Amino acid sequence: MRHLIDPTDLTVEETARIIALAEDIIAHRDKYREACKGKKLATLFYEPSTRTRLSFTSAMLELGGEVIGFSDAASSSVSKGETVADTVRVIRCFADIIAMRHFKEGAPLVASQYAGIPVINAGDGSHAHPTQTLTDLLTIKREKGRLDHFTIGFCGDLKFGRTVHSLIKALSRYEGIEVILISPEELRLPDYMLHEMSAGSCLRFREVRTLEEAMPELDILYMTRVQKERFLDEEEFNRVKDSFVLDPEKMAAAKSDMIVLHPLPRVNEIARAVDNDPRAAYFRQVENGKFVRMALIHTLLEWAGDNRPFERTPVFGEEFVTEGAACPNARCIAATEDVDPIFRRGSDGVCRCAYCEAKAE
């Protein structure tokens, strides 16, 4: 059974197929109006969501299918102590495919082990958001015409931003990509990802501390919020915050065909005046999310019919380990539910939890 838990669960070829299908859906919507007729999507959202939940719902309805599920953990049996494993064992009796968002990192991976139907990770804690990555890739393809040979800047919270981590992992498999990391010292990309990018990917990268240093070089700017709560010193936050706010003055230094992406929601990191700039692609990005989720649902249901096995391709030279380690992360599903321990040893020799990527003890 095939699932989408991490962006690298799809090969480059499979990713290209889903993106091509999304583009065909955009061009020929009538052709797909009954593509999933008679099928049900269960949306299991254990934490609040606006864009992602409505995007999945809209996607399934436009494919002619039906949607069941819940949008709040309090309205599910988790409030009675039911485990993720038991929940999906029940849901598979009513649905053909599951989209799950959970506050516990690794919960969708656990669900995929028990569901017996395709599971899509719609966001698990601060860990991963693979359908946002597919949305980003489709947007880049539509806006730039390619998924290789460009310079992309990631700006803001690179330490905790799950969308940044997921997209970097996905882009590591394409040629000719230069990554410029733009963040305050407190919110740098984690060291283990920097090591993996150096040792096991095709990406070229460097770090800078202001937007102004990078703007003239960028083909794509991926903005995220600089979070005040991540700073121990408010004075330090006030000193750096304006360096990471995109405004018309900073846009003036950019290429005429650069595009600006943002996973949303935004707070104040992009000035409202930028919205009218044709290079601002973040609202077009939202609509692309619906189309790529239509393509993903259609494809996973098709693969389920073919009984295609799940064979995850390791990235950055990693290998799987099942004994001799423990996950220290209290936000991991392994901290609260009885799950099989799974760890991945990276090219640096460090074992990380497969559910949440925390460094194992």
Side-chain angles (χ1 to χ4, degrees):
M1 184 62 62
R2 293 297 301 273
H3 311 280
L4 181 63
I5 308 302
D6 182 271
T8 56
D9 290 342
L10 299 171
T11 66
V12 172
E13 294 74 21
E14 289 168 343
T15 300
R17 171 181 169 173
I18 289 171
I19 289 173
L21 179 57
E23 291 177 312
D24 194 58
I25 290 171
I26 292 167
H28 308 99
R29 297 196 196 187
D30 288 344
K31 177 178 163 184
Y32 296 92
R33 291 201 183 280
E34 295 189 350
C36 291
K37 186 176 181 180
K39 301 292 185 180
K40 291 187 180 70
L41 166 71
T43 54
L44 311 185
F45 277 64
Y46 289 78
E47 65 178 3
S49 169
T50 302
R51 280 159 301 282
T52 305
R53 183 173 62 85
L54 294 180
S55 181
F56 270 110
T57 298
S58 179
M60 191 56 164
L61 293 176
E62 291 197 27
L63 289 169
E66 299 177 58
V67 181
I68 61 174
F70 54 82
S71 59
D72 184 354
S75 63
S76 75
S77 290
V78 71
S79 61
K80 304 174 185 177
E82 186 174 59
T83 65
V84 167
D86 283 357
T87 296
V88 297
R89 283 181 173 122
V90 171
I91 295 299
R92 72 183 181 190
C93 300
F94 312 131
D96 302 284
I97 187 168
I98 291 170
M100 173 182 283
R101 169 164 287 187
H102 204 287
F103 50 88
K104 285 288 184 179
E105 296 166 15
L109 178 56
V110 173
S112 72
Q113 296 167 352
Y114 295 93
I117 58 176
V119 174
I120 301 170
N121 181 1
D124 59 331
S126 60
H127 178 225
H129 198 346
T131 61
Q132 180 63 52
T133 299
L134 286 175
T135 298
D136 298 339
L137 293 175
L138 174 60
T139 304
I140 292 170
K141 177 66 162 47
R142 294 190 73 194
E143 298 283 336
K144 306 301 291 185
R146 64 190 187 279
L147 289 173
D148 53 19
H149 296 93
F150 57 73
T151 298
I152 181 169
F154 290 95
C155 179
D157 181 358
L158 310 188
K159 183 175 183 179
F160 300 99
R162 64 187 177 190
T163 58
V164 171
H165 300 174
S166 292
L167 184 53
I168 286 175
K169 287 174 71 173
L171 292 176
S172 71
R173 304 185 294 180
Y174 296 90
E175 294 183 354
I177 295 179
E178 181 171 354
V179 173
I180 302 179
L181 304 168
I182 312 158
S183 71
E185 179 67 25
E186 292 84 350
L187 298 177
R188 293 174 65 232
L189 198 72
D191 287 341
Y192 81 91
M193 287 203 68
L194 292 172
H195 176 87
E196 290 173 343
M197 289 167 67
S198 298
S201 85
C202 299
L203 299 175
R204 292 174 293 129
F205 73 94
R206 73 178 197 271
E207 297 179 272
V208 300
R209 291 291 171 258
T210 67
L211 264 169
E212 287 85 349
E213 293 174 74
M215 287 297 280
E217 303 175 56
L218 300 180
D219 300 300
I220 302 163
L221 174 60
Y222 197 99
M223 293 293 297
T224 64
R225 181 168 68 95
V226 174
Q227 302 174 71
K228 183 177 181 179
E229 60 269 25
R230 302 297 188 188
F231 286 78
L232 297 177
D233 186 345
E234 185 173 347
E235 183 177 331
E236 178 66 12
F237 170 77
N238 290 331
R239 185 183 67 80
V240 304
K241 64 179 181 179
D242 290 338
S243 297
F244 307 98
V245 174
L246 185 64
D247 55 29
E249 183 179 357
K250 292 186 179 74
M251 288 290 288
K255 295 178 181 179
S256 60
D257 62 346
M258 184 196 76
I259 61 169
V260 181
L261 303 181
H262 193 304
L264 300 180
R266 67 171 167 182
V267 182
N268 61 351
E269 62 275 11
I270 300 179
R272 191 161 53 90
V274 175
D275 295 352
N276 297 323
D277 191 308
R279 295 171 291 183
Y282 32 89
F283 290 118
R284 299 194 291 274
Q285 187 180 358
V286 173
E287 187 174 22
N288 286 333
K290 178 185 70 173
F291 296 124
V292 85
R293 290 179 177 105
M294 290 174 72
L296 177 63
I297 291 167
H298 186 283
T299 300
L300 287 178
L301 286 172
E302 184 178 83
W303 288 349
D306 296 340
N307 199 27
R308 185 176 296 205
F310 175 62
E311 296 179 354
R312 186 181 183 278
T313 303
V315 294
F316 300 134
E318 68 188 9
E319 60 178 323
F320 292 95
V321 178
T322 56
E323 296 179 355
C327 178
N329 181 10
R331 300 185 306 274
C332 181
I333 191 72
T336 55
E337 296 195 12
D338 182 15
V339 301
D340 295 328
I342 307 174
F343 297 87
R344 301 182 184 125
R345 181 180 287 115
S347 59
D348 57 358
V350 175
C351 284
R352 295 189 176 277
C353 176
Y355 298 108
C356 69
E357 295 189 47
K359 184 177 179 180
E361 293 181 338

